[in-house]
Amino acid sequence: MLADVHKQRKFLVFEDNLLELFNRCEMCHLPTKGKVCNVQGSAMAIKQVCECGHTRRWESQPKVRGVPAGNILLSAGILFSGCSPSKVLRIFEFINVLSISLSTFFSHQRTVLWPAIERVWTKCNDQLISVLLDREEELVVAGDGRSDSPGHSAKFGVYSMIDMHTGRVVAIELVQRATDSLRRCGLSLAEIITDRHLQIQKWIRENLPGTVHSFDVWHIGKAVKKKLLALSKEKDCNIVCKWMKSITNHLYWSAASSQGEEGSMIAAKWTSVVNHVQDIHTGHGDLYQQCTHGPLEPREWLKKGSEAAAKMEDILLNKRLCKDIKKLSTGFQTSTLESFHSVINHFAPKMTAYSFHGQMCRQYLAALHFNENVQRGKKISKNGKFNLKIVFPKYKDDFSVKFVNDEMTFGYVKELLDMCIEICAPPPLTSGKRKPTKVEVTRCLGKNKSVIRASIRKINRFISVSCVILAVRHFGFTTVTSQSDHRLRTFPEIFPSFSVQ
């Protein structure tokens, strides 16, 4: 069955070992010799001719509408795995394995693979949207953009949105179309979480007046840490470097501990850090009067009135920063969205240029892979405990301990391959039609016979009228019989210029 070609196992077979199977005739069993008579990409055909007159032709792959199935599956495997086609095909070239050409891959990609990706993504996204419509909870999404290349020379910019309750990608569009696609599906946005980009703030303020716009803590913490790092390199300010991690953690705590409270409480907790780093833990303000931590270990505090303390205060109490901190998201962050961007980097590396269609299809592939594996469970060892691993992130000098997730699944690839085979070998045009019953066929046949008889009678009348006209024109008759007169008047549209006297 053509629908099962991607499920069958494939083997890497050497030519000499393969030709050993054709060294005898299957009819008379005399010694013979097979010869490779045709090569089409990764497929081959062997012809065997015997002295007894028996001829045999053997093909290594089934064909889908005249195209070897292995060629299409090879192109699909390259694209669906996010690999570079030139690198994969070069591997086959180095070990002398027959394969498709780069132009063949691009042809398969354009005619089969891209349509399959779009159909599967549309189907899966519609299912997700229907689940969100049936859910009673309000829709809270996180959005962020990604350029297709590093630096300031990007050609395409894609904006992605993730549902914060399920962690799944719900929209991949251009900047001002991502929310439109959700609203067209009947979804109302209760809250949207983004970075502090001024243009995005303005667009949401003007186009989504009823939606709460919150800022992601990580983006603000990154900006604050960058400024503190620059300050720590100035003269007599190296002590600031020792407080960078604590100040960043305090920013996360200010947001996480203020769920259900006004933004002014978040700002009050944030501004208290200026006193805290100077060993002042009371009298912060009316909303947040004193620190809630317990006894602290001895540490190096900033001296009150010092140059380092004054410059740090200018950074932490910046007017715009405090205004944005009031809008921090207290419940959800865009860390899941950043994880999705790392998946996109696998399917669509920034160092490789793609066409618009190619870029969007690779974004859809990344979304299909991410949505299927975002809710993976934690791997459990034989003794019933969670497996742990030690990692050394490049953004900090210390190590981190993380849980080991279950192995990734690729169920979406099977659906994509099924769609590819369906596109290559579509069902007959009559497959969607209802098969008529025997009574309906008999009734239709009777109507056809009546129509045929009426048509024959009309043709005979037409022939007789034509004969009369030819006779009149040839012999110059000016009168015709009454029967001919009736027939002529029956076809005025055919003989408009002939008048019967």
Side-chain angles (χ1 to χ4, degrees):
M1 294 294 293
L2 290 178
D4 299 332
V5 291
H6 63 278
K7 300 178 183 179
Q8 301 177 25
R9 295 195 298 173
K10 290 85 178 172
F11 300 91
L12 193 65
V13 181
F14 284 69
E15 182 178 9
D16 291 344
N17 297 76
L18 181 61
L19 292 178
E20 289 179 0
L21 302 176
F22 299 88
N23 55 9
R24 286 190 177 275
C25 176
E26 62 180 357
M27 298 298 294
C28 64
H29 302 290
L30 290 176
T32 184
K33 186 177 182 180
K35 183 180 180 180
V36 178
C37 62
N38 186 29
V39 175
Q40 188 178 0
S42 62
M44 64 177 299
I46 298 178
K47 187 175 182 180
Q48 185 183 24
V49 181
C50 181
E51 296 178 355
C52 68
H54 176 68
T55 302
R56 176 190 179 192
R57 180 185 173 88
W58 177 85
E59 294 184 349
S60 62
Q61 297 179 12
K63 291 188 176 182
V64 183
R65 297 179 66 180
V67 180
N71 293 349
I72 298 176
L73 294 178
L74 180 57
S75 299
I78 293 174
L79 179 60
F80 297 162
S81 62
C83 295
S84 169
S86 58
K87 292 182 179 180
V88 173
L89 297 180
R90 192 175 298 124
I91 293 175
F92 293 128
E93 181 183 353
F94 286 168
I95 60 177
N96 202 23
V97 173
L98 298 181
S99 180
I100 60 176
S101 63
L102 198 59
S103 60
T104 301
F105 168 80
F106 289 133
S107 177
H108 291 164
Q109 178 180 247
R110 182 178 62 259
T111 58
V112 178
L113 305 183
W114 284 348
I117 293 173
E118 290 178 345
R119 293 183 189 182
V120 173
W121 163 252
T122 302
K123 174 185 174 183
C124 295
N125 193 52
D126 290 345
Q127 293 175 353
L128 178 58
I129 294 297
S130 63
V131 172
L132 296 179
L133 288 171
D134 297 337
R135 194 177 63 188
E136 297 180 355
E137 298 176 336
E138 292 183 329
L139 182 62
V140 180
V141 298
D144 197 9
R146 176 187 180 273
S147 301
D148 69 321
S149 61
H152 300 280
S153 59
K155 184 178 181 181
F156 301 119
V158 181
Y159 205 83
S160 309
M161 283 192 169
I162 284 185
D163 174 39
M164 300 309 298
H165 292 285
T166 61
R168 289 188 167 88
V169 181
V170 293
I172 303 176
E173 291 285 353
L174 297 178
V175 174
Q176 296 184 357
R177 289 173 53 190
T179 55
D180 292 342
S181 63
L182 296 179
R183 287 187 290 179
R184 284 196 300 267
C185 297
L187 295 172
S188 59
L189 296 177
E191 182 181 2
I192 180 171
I193 306 168
T194 67
D195 54 14
R196 295 192 296 163
H197 199 286
L198 293 177
Q199 291 180 345
I200 295 178
Q201 293 184 45
K202 179 182 178 182
W203 189 89
I204 294 178
R205 184 171 61 251
E206 294 177 352
N207 295 272
L208 301 174
T211 301
V212 178
H213 184 198
S214 302
F215 295 142
D216 176 53
V217 179
W218 179 82
H219 286 88
I220 295 182
K222 179 182 178 181
V224 172
K225 187 176 181 180
K226 184 178 180 180
K227 293 182 178 180
L228 293 177
L229 181 61
L231 175 61
S232 65
K233 297 178 181 179
E234 297 183 7
K235 184 179 180 180
D236 299 331
C237 297
N238 55 350
I239 189 176
V240 175
C241 186
K242 300 179 181 180
W243 284 97
M244 287 171 50
K245 183 176 181 181
S246 297
I247 293 174
T248 305
N249 292 340
H250 180 77
L251 179 64
Y252 279 90
W253 174 82
S254 299
S257 62
S258 303
Q259 293 190 24
E261 299 181 359
E262 297 292 335
S264 55
M265 176 58 76
I266 305 176
K269 292 180 180 179
W270 165 248
T271 55
S272 67
V273 73
V274 176
N275 291 334
H276 176 83
V277 297
Q278 301 178 61
D279 200 17
I280 302 174
H281 308 290
T282 58
H284 301 318
D286 296 335
L287 293 177
Y288 186 71
Q289 298 180 356
Q290 62 180 8
C291 298
T292 57
H293 56 73
L296 300 175
E297 300 177 356
R299 63 191 65 189
E300 186 177 0
W301 304 95
L302 272 72
K303 295 181 179 180
K304 186 176 181 180
S306 63
E307 182 179 2
K311 291 183 177 180
M312 180 187 288
E313 184 175 346
D314 292 339
I315 294 175
L316 301 182
L317 300 184
N318 179 270
K319 185 177 180 180
R320 183 192 168 192
L321 176 63
C322 292
K323 179 181 177 182
D324 292 342
I325 283 179
K326 293 181 180 180
K327 300 173 67 176
L328 282 179
S329 173
T330 59
F332 302 101
Q333 307 302 327
T334 62
S335 56
T336 307
L337 189 57
E338 299 298 333
S339 300
F340 172 59
H341 284 177
S342 65
V343 176
I344 295 178
N345 289 335
H346 171 75
F347 287 92
K350 290 191 174 186
M351 301 307 295
T352 305
Y354 300 98
S355 64
F356 178 82
H357 208 165
Q359 182 71 230
M360 286 305 301
C361 285
R362 287 179 177 266
Q363 297 280 339
Y364 293 156
L365 273 176
L368 289 170
H369 177 82
F370 183 83
N371 288 350
E372 182 171 328
N373 294 280
V374 66
Q375 294 183 341
R376 281 183 296 162
K378 304 294 187 295
K379 184 174 291 187
I380 301 177
S381 60
K382 296 180 180 180
N383 55 10
K385 297 182 178 180
F386 290 110
N387 288 347
L388 303 175
K389 64 178 179 179
I390 299 176
V391 295
F392 296 87
K394 63 180 181 180
Y395 58 85
K396 66 178 184 179
D397 298 332
D398 204 358
F399 66 89
S400 298
V401 179
K402 294 185 176 181
F403 290 102
V404 179
N405 293 327
D406 291 332
E407 296 295 331
M408 292 186 294
T409 59
F410 301 91
Y412 67 97
V413 175
K414 177 184 178 299
E415 194 169 353
L416 286 170
L417 292 174
D418 289 337
M419 185 62 68
C420 289
I421 299 301
E422 181 179 335
I423 293 174
C424 291
L429 296 177
T430 58
S431 60
K433 304 294 184 180
R434 182 182 65 86
K435 187 176 181 180
T437 61
K438 187 176 181 179
V439 177
E440 292 174 337
V441 173
T442 305
R443 188 184 304 119
C444 182
L445 183 60
K447 291 181 180 179
N448 290 340
K449 288 181 178 179
S450 302
V451 172
I452 292 173
R453 292 193 186 99
S455 300
I456 292 175
R457 287 197 298 268
K458 196 168 185 179
I459 291 172
N460 291 334
R461 291 163 60 190
F462 174 77
I463 293 174
S464 61
V465 170
S466 300
C467 293
V468 172
I469 292 173
L470 291 176
V472 170
R473 288 179 176 176
H474 183 70
F475 296 104
F477 294 159
T478 56
T479 59
V480 293
T481 62
S482 59
Q483 183 179 5
S484 299
D485 180 23
H486 170 70
R487 291 177 178 179
L488 288 172
R489 297 185 188 281
T490 308
F491 301 95
E493 70 280 0
I494 302 178
F495 308 105
S497 61
F498 188 87
S499 61
V500 181
Q501 298 180 357

